Amino acid sequence: MQIGRFGWGVPNETRLFESAGNALTLMLEDSLEPYRRGDGSSLPLKEMKYFKLPWPEDALRALGATQVEMRCTLSYFIEPDLHAVARDRMERYPSHRLRFDVKRYGEDDAQARARVNTQADEGDAVEDTSDDGWILGSFSRHRGTLHHDIWSGPAHRLVERGGLSVLPVRGWWGDTRRFDRDGRSVNFSLVVSIRTPEAGGGDLFTEVVGKIKAANLVETPAAVAVT
């Protein structure tokens, strides 16, 4: 894969320093607690976060079948286990892992949260292939601790994708209660950007700014238990 060799390319300096009505970036920093104290010797997963984003729904609906692009980036830090290599347990090298998942077209918020809870139970065993349009997909983008992927498709399908989950995946912190890592918070950063064609791409920025001002803030995320 060329991305694995060369990365995502050279940043565009013009886009970096100039604003545009057809390009929008939302940034978020938050934390969650991956593990909780349970009855057994290991620690069960504790919570995920679901964010309801201030989506430019009217502008996207007006674009209809016009092809648009959404980029999602999740960044976080781990506590590595340097003995994982010697134990031939590289899946236990990180203390925890995180994943992001975007609400599907046709789903409501409750359905999106329920589906992600199921994915958390399955861990790394199952690749989610039910969501097309991504360059990498859920299996390839979740390597390391900086996860980035690009979705492209018709604007009317992006209208309903204004929900984003961050969920934990097990690492060595959860292997035993002796590490006393239950209840420990981990920080993460999320960046979500939308881009439409320059010609007739609508005004995404103005609509989202209006929503944020009307609410005085982005809707407070709710912590949802991962069972």
Side-chain angles (χ1 to χ4, degrees):
M1 180 179 292
Q2 296 299 312
I3 291 175
R5 177 174 297 181
F6 301 109
W8 292 95
V10 179
N12 186 310
E13 186 174 353
T14 301
R15 290 191 61 196
L16 179 64
F17 290 105
E18 295 182 4
S19 299
N22 70 311
L24 168 71
T25 299
L26 302 169
M27 293 178 287
L28 174 84
E29 291 186 345
D30 204 347
S31 62
L32 60 78
E33 296 180 11
Y35 302 102
R36 61 180 172 85
R37 182 63 62 113
D39 296 331
S41 59
S42 61
L43 300 180
L45 297 175
K46 181 176 182 179
E47 67 178 3
M48 54 167 273
K49 290 285 181 77
Y50 183 81
F51 301 97
K52 187 72 173 175
L53 304 174
W55 224 226
E57 296 177 356
D58 293 340
L60 291 173
R61 285 194 183 96
L63 290 173
T66 301
Q67 291 291 301
V68 298
E69 176 186 283
M70 172 178 60
R71 291 174 177 250
C72 296
T73 304
L74 171 65
S75 176
Y76 60 97
F77 294 99
I78 56 137
E79 181 182 355
D81 177 9
L82 301 181
H83 302 288
V85 177
R87 294 189 291 116
D88 196 25
R89 292 288 305 276
M90 281 304 296
E91 75 279 5
R92 285 298 188 258
Y93 177 78
S95 52
H96 64 283
R97 285 167 288 170
L98 300 179
R99 290 181 172 183
F100 72 81
D101 184 275
V102 181
K103 180 173 172 282
R104 307 285 201 270
Y105 173 73
E107 281 185 331
D108 59 28
D109 295 322
Q111 290 171 331
R113 289 194 295 264
R115 177 176 47 75
V116 170
N117 268 286
T118 301
Q119 288 181 359
D121 287 339
E122 292 171 349
D124 285 337
V126 178
E127 178 184 359
D128 181 14
T129 58
S130 62
D131 191 20
D132 57 7
W134 296 96
I135 289 181
L136 294 182
S138 62
F139 183 76
S140 298
R141 69 171 172 243
H142 289 126
R143 299 175 182 178
T145 60
L146 180 61
H147 307 160
H148 179 74
D149 208 347
I150 301 174
W151 178 90
S152 59
H156 70 87
R157 285 187 171 268
L158 187 57
V159 171
E160 299 182 26
R161 309 202 68 168
L164 194 150
S165 300
V166 177
L167 63 149
V169 178
R170 300 188 64 82
W172 68 264
W173 274 5
D175 285 346
T176 175
R177 299 170 63 174
R178 292 189 296 106
F179 298 143
D180 293 325
R181 297 301 198 271
D182 52 296
R184 181 171 296 193
S185 293
V186 297
N187 299 322
F188 62 87
S189 298
L190 273 173
V191 179
V192 181
S193 62
I194 306 173
R195 188 181 184 187
T196 64
E198 294 184 9
D203 191 344
L204 307 175
F205 184 80
T206 300
E207 182 181 347
V208 169
V209 169
K211 286 187 175 182
I212 292 175
K213 287 182 177 179
N216 199 28
L217 54 105
V218 179
E219 181 179 337
T220 303
V224 181
V226 177
T227 58

Short mmCIF file of all heavy atoms in Angstrom, two decimals, residues 14 31 40 49 58 70 84 94 100 103 112 114 116 131 133 149 159 164 178 181 187 195-196 218-219 226:
data_model
loop_
_atom_site.label_atom_id
_atom_site.label_comp_id
_atom_site.label_asym_id
_atom_site.label_seq_id
_atom_site.Cartn_x
_atom_site.Cartn_y
_atom_site.Cartn_z
N THR A 14 -1.58 26.54 1.22
CA THR A 14 -2.68 27.47 0.98
C THR A 14 -3.88 27.11 1.84
O THR A 14 -4.50 27.98 2.47
CB THR A 14 -3.08 27.45 -0.51
OG1 THR A 14 -1.94 27.81 -1.30
CG2 THR A 14 -4.21 28.42 -0.77
N SER A 31 -11.36 12.83 27.28
CA SER A 31 -10.74 11.67 27.93
C SER A 31 -11.82 10.64 28.22
O SER A 31 -13.02 10.95 28.22
CB SER A 31 -10.04 12.09 29.22
OG SER A 31 -10.96 12.62 30.15
N GLY A 40 -13.49 -10.60 38.28
CA GLY A 40 -12.46 -11.56 37.92
C GLY A 40 -11.06 -11.01 38.13
O GLY A 40 -10.84 -9.94 38.70
N LYS A 49 -17.15 6.92 24.35
CA LYS A 49 -17.74 8.25 24.22
C LYS A 49 -18.41 8.36 22.85
O LYS A 49 -17.87 7.88 21.85
CB LYS A 49 -16.66 9.34 24.36
CG LYS A 49 -16.06 9.49 25.76
CD LYS A 49 -17.03 10.19 26.69
CE LYS A 49 -16.44 10.38 28.09
NZ LYS A 49 -15.49 11.50 28.14
N ASP A 58 -28.10 21.20 6.36
CA ASP A 58 -28.80 21.91 5.28
C ASP A 58 -27.91 22.07 4.06
O ASP A 58 -28.33 21.86 2.91
CB ASP A 58 -29.29 23.27 5.77
CG ASP A 58 -30.37 23.15 6.84
OD1 ASP A 58 -30.99 22.07 6.91
OD2 ASP A 58 -30.58 24.12 7.58
N MET A 70 -14.86 13.45 3.73
CA MET A 70 -14.74 13.61 5.17
C MET A 70 -13.45 12.93 5.64
O MET A 70 -13.18 11.79 5.29
CB MET A 70 -15.94 12.99 5.89
CG MET A 70 -15.79 12.96 7.41
SD MET A 70 -17.24 12.27 8.28
CE MET A 70 -17.33 10.62 7.58
N ALA A 84 6.64 -7.08 25.97
CA ALA A 84 5.69 -7.75 25.08
C ALA A 84 6.41 -8.50 23.96
O ALA A 84 5.97 -9.57 23.54
CB ALA A 84 4.70 -6.74 24.51
N PRO A 94 0.65 -2.16 23.81
CA PRO A 94 0.05 -0.94 24.36
C PRO A 94 -0.77 -1.22 25.62
O PRO A 94 -1.34 -2.30 25.79
CB PRO A 94 -0.87 -0.46 23.22
CG PRO A 94 -1.27 -1.71 22.53
CD PRO A 94 -0.09 -2.66 22.65
N PHE A 100 -11.99 4.94 16.48
CA PHE A 100 -13.13 5.80 16.20
C PHE A 100 -14.06 5.09 15.23
O PHE A 100 -13.65 4.25 14.43
CB PHE A 100 -12.69 7.17 15.64
CG PHE A 100 -12.16 7.15 14.23
CD1 PHE A 100 -13.02 7.13 13.13
CD2 PHE A 100 -10.78 7.18 13.99
CE1 PHE A 100 -12.53 7.13 11.83
CE2 PHE A 100 -10.28 7.18 12.69
CZ PHE A 100 -11.16 7.16 11.61
N LYS A 103 -21.03 7.29 12.69
CA LYS A 103 -22.42 6.87 12.51
C LYS A 103 -22.71 6.60 11.03
O LYS A 103 -22.33 7.36 10.16
CB LYS A 103 -23.32 7.99 13.03
CG LYS A 103 -24.81 7.76 12.93
CD LYS A 103 -25.53 8.90 13.66
CE LYS A 103 -27.04 8.86 13.44
NZ LYS A 103 -27.38 9.42 12.10
N ALA A 112 -26.29 3.48 16.43
CA ALA A 112 -24.85 3.64 16.27
C ALA A 112 -24.12 3.25 17.55
O ALA A 112 -23.08 2.57 17.52
CB ALA A 112 -24.51 5.08 15.88
N ALA A 114 -25.20 1.22 19.96
CA ALA A 114 -25.35 -0.22 20.20
C ALA A 114 -24.39 -1.02 19.34
O ALA A 114 -23.79 -2.00 19.79
CB ALA A 114 -26.80 -0.64 19.95
N VAL A 116 -21.49 -0.09 18.14
CA VAL A 116 -20.12 0.09 18.60
C VAL A 116 -19.86 -0.70 19.87
O VAL A 116 -18.77 -1.23 20.08
CB VAL A 116 -19.82 1.60 18.80
CG1 VAL A 116 -18.50 1.80 19.51
CG2 VAL A 116 -19.80 2.30 17.45
N ASP A 131 -19.17 -0.71 6.27
CA ASP A 131 -19.17 0.73 5.99
C ASP A 131 -18.20 1.00 4.85
O ASP A 131 -16.98 1.04 5.05
CB ASP A 131 -18.76 1.48 7.26
CG ASP A 131 -18.98 2.98 7.12
OD1 ASP A 131 -19.77 3.38 6.26
OD2 ASP A 131 -18.37 3.75 7.89
N GLY A 133 -16.68 3.23 1.36
CA GLY A 133 -16.35 4.61 1.06
C GLY A 133 -15.06 5.09 1.68
O GLY A 133 -14.57 6.18 1.36
N ASP A 149 -8.27 8.40 8.38
CA ASP A 149 -8.91 7.78 7.24
C ASP A 149 -9.76 8.82 6.52
O ASP A 149 -10.15 9.84 7.11
CB ASP A 149 -9.78 6.60 7.67
CG ASP A 149 -9.91 5.53 6.57
OD1 ASP A 149 -9.53 5.82 5.42
OD2 ASP A 149 -10.41 4.43 6.87
N VAL A 159 -25.06 13.52 5.32
CA VAL A 159 -25.96 14.28 6.20
C VAL A 159 -26.19 13.55 7.51
O VAL A 159 -26.17 14.15 8.59
CB VAL A 159 -27.31 14.54 5.49
CG1 VAL A 159 -28.31 15.14 6.47
CG2 VAL A 159 -27.13 15.45 4.30
N LEU A 164 -20.08 10.43 16.16
CA LEU A 164 -18.78 9.76 16.15
C LEU A 164 -18.49 9.15 17.51
O LEU A 164 -18.64 9.82 18.54
CB LEU A 164 -17.68 10.75 15.76
CG LEU A 164 -16.32 10.16 15.37
CD1 LEU A 164 -15.62 11.05 14.36
CD2 LEU A 164 -15.43 10.00 16.60
N ARG A 178 -3.61 -6.55 39.34
CA ARG A 178 -2.41 -6.18 40.09
C ARG A 178 -1.78 -4.87 39.61
O ARG A 178 -1.05 -4.22 40.35
CB ARG A 178 -1.35 -7.30 40.00
CG ARG A 178 -1.74 -8.58 40.72
CD ARG A 178 -0.58 -9.55 40.77
NE ARG A 178 -0.19 -10.00 39.44
CZ ARG A 178 0.91 -9.60 38.81
NH1 ARG A 178 1.72 -8.71 39.36
NH2 ARG A 178 1.20 -10.08 37.60
N ARG A 181 -4.71 -0.33 37.28
CA ARG A 181 -4.98 0.65 36.22
C ARG A 181 -6.48 0.90 36.02
O ARG A 181 -6.85 1.63 35.13
CB ARG A 181 -4.36 0.19 34.88
CG ARG A 181 -2.84 0.06 34.89
CD ARG A 181 -2.17 1.36 35.23
NE ARG A 181 -0.77 1.39 34.86
CZ ARG A 181 0.23 0.99 35.62
NH1 ARG A 181 -0.04 0.49 36.83
NH2 ARG A 181 1.48 1.07 35.20
N ASN A 187 -6.28 10.45 27.70
CA ASN A 187 -6.66 11.59 26.87
C ASN A 187 -6.61 11.22 25.39
O ASN A 187 -5.83 10.36 24.97
CB ASN A 187 -5.71 12.77 27.11
CG ASN A 187 -5.75 13.25 28.55
OD1 ASN A 187 -6.80 13.28 29.18
ND2 ASN A 187 -4.59 13.62 29.09
N ARG A 195 -14.97 18.45 3.20
CA ARG A 195 -14.59 19.27 2.05
C ARG A 195 -15.53 18.97 0.89
O ARG A 195 -15.81 17.82 0.59
CB ARG A 195 -13.15 18.99 1.64
CG ARG A 195 -12.61 19.94 0.57
CD ARG A 195 -11.19 19.59 0.21
NE ARG A 195 -10.61 20.52 -0.73
CZ ARG A 195 -9.41 20.36 -1.31
NH1 ARG A 195 -8.69 19.29 -1.00
NH2 ARG A 195 -8.95 21.25 -2.15
N THR A 196 -16.03 20.04 0.26
CA THR A 196 -16.91 19.92 -0.89
C THR A 196 -16.24 20.58 -2.09
O THR A 196 -15.25 21.31 -1.92
CB THR A 196 -18.27 20.59 -0.62
OG1 THR A 196 -18.07 22.00 -0.43
CG2 THR A 196 -18.92 20.00 0.62
N VAL A 218 -20.63 22.91 21.68
CA VAL A 218 -20.96 21.63 21.07
C VAL A 218 -21.61 20.76 22.15
O VAL A 218 -21.22 20.79 23.30
CB VAL A 218 -19.69 20.94 20.53
CG1 VAL A 218 -20.02 19.60 19.92
CG2 VAL A 218 -19.04 21.84 19.49
N GLU A 219 -22.61 19.99 21.76
CA GLU A 219 -23.34 19.17 22.72
C GLU A 219 -22.39 18.34 23.58
O GLU A 219 -21.44 17.71 23.09
CB GLU A 219 -24.30 18.22 21.98
CG GLU A 219 -25.12 17.35 22.92
CD GLU A 219 -26.08 16.46 22.14
OE1 GLU A 219 -26.41 16.79 21.00
OE2 GLU A 219 -26.47 15.42 22.69
N VAL A 226 -19.44 0.28 28.21
CA VAL A 226 -19.14 -0.81 27.28
C VAL A 226 -19.29 -2.11 28.04
O VAL A 226 -18.58 -2.36 28.99
CB VAL A 226 -17.71 -0.68 26.72
CG1 VAL A 226 -17.40 -1.86 25.83
CG2 VAL A 226 -17.55 0.62 25.96
#
